[in-house]
Amino acid sequence: MENHMTTTTFDIDFKNLLNMAKEKLNPRKVSHFIEAGGVASAILTDQGNVYVGVCIDTACTLGMCAERNAIANMITHGESKIDKLVCVMSDGSVGSPCGVCREYLMQLHKDSGEIKILTSIDGFTFIKLKDLIPDWWGHKYFESGET
Ligand SMILES: [Zn+2]
């Protein structure tokens, strides 16, 4: 069974994305060294597919944030352009991508700055990634025509 969900309608709203992420919240101990599922993320691509991921926390800093786990799932399925992203914490509140995830997202696609990131459940407000990582160092490489 594949872990991503193909949708029939392209414009999935933030509320649905949030619910898809919440379905994957499942804080648990995987082993003596690894805990997972305390944070979940769902991303909607420009192709209308949703990919989800949970955080994986390990000893020796080998872990991965929920957002990057969802991105890995997306890349595994051949996509790289994200339209919307949500991150949900174990208490059900909305999370914001950490600095590493912001950088990772920016490197994914030349249009990543336009990714809409949910900032609040009240009114389902969002911010664009470019406003979370201003003056990004890599623009010049995308502008030179590289993909
Ligand atoms: Zn992160």
Side-chain angles (χ1 to χ4, degrees):
M1 187 180 126
E2 296 189 346
N3 352 341
H4 79 285
M5 294 160 263
T6 301
T7 58
T8 50
T9 40
F10 171 74
D11 192 21
I12 293 174
D13 64 21
F14 276 122
K15 188 176 183 180
N16 287 327
L17 272 184
L18 187 69
N19 287 334
M20 290 177 193
K22 278 184 177 174
E23 284 175 10
K24 297 300 179 189
L25 276 178
N26 178 20
R28 63 198 181 275
K29 196 162 184 161
V30 175
S31 73
H32 176 76
F33 304 101
I34 301 175
E35 293 179 2
V39 179
S41 178
I43 53 181
L44 172 68
T45 68
D46 68 330
Q47 300 296 308
N49 295 312
V50 175
Y51 299 92
V52 295
V54 297
C55 66
I56 303 169
D57 299 317
T58 74
C60 308
T61 67
L62 301 173
M64 183 189 301
C65 294
E67 297 94 319
R68 275 177 283 145
N69 198 353
I71 292 166
N73 192 3
M74 173 187 71
I75 291 174
T76 299
H77 288 88
E79 294 190 69
S80 61
K81 189 172 181 181
I82 299 171
D83 182 50
K84 293 186 178 99
L85 180 149
V86 304
C87 176
V88 61
M89 312 302 284
S90 56
D91 65 359
S93 65
V94 173
S96 185
C98 75
V100 172
C101 288
R102 293 175 191 189
E103 176 66 29
Y104 205 99
L105 286 161
M106 285 302 288
Q107 291 189 26
L108 259 178
H109 193 278
K110 65 180 173 57
D111 297 328
S112 282
E114 299 300 318
I115 296 172
K116 296 177 269 304
I117 298 169
L118 183 66
T119 54
S120 171
I121 294 171
D122 296 325
F124 288 93
T125 54
F126 65 88
I127 189 168
K128 288 190 175 180
L129 179 60
K130 64 185 176 186
D131 295 323
L132 289 177
I133 187 164
D135 196 29
W136 182 61
W137 66 275
H139 285 303
K140 64 183 176 186
Y141 297 100
F142 280 137
E143 286 164 6
S144 72
E146 292 182 45
T147 54

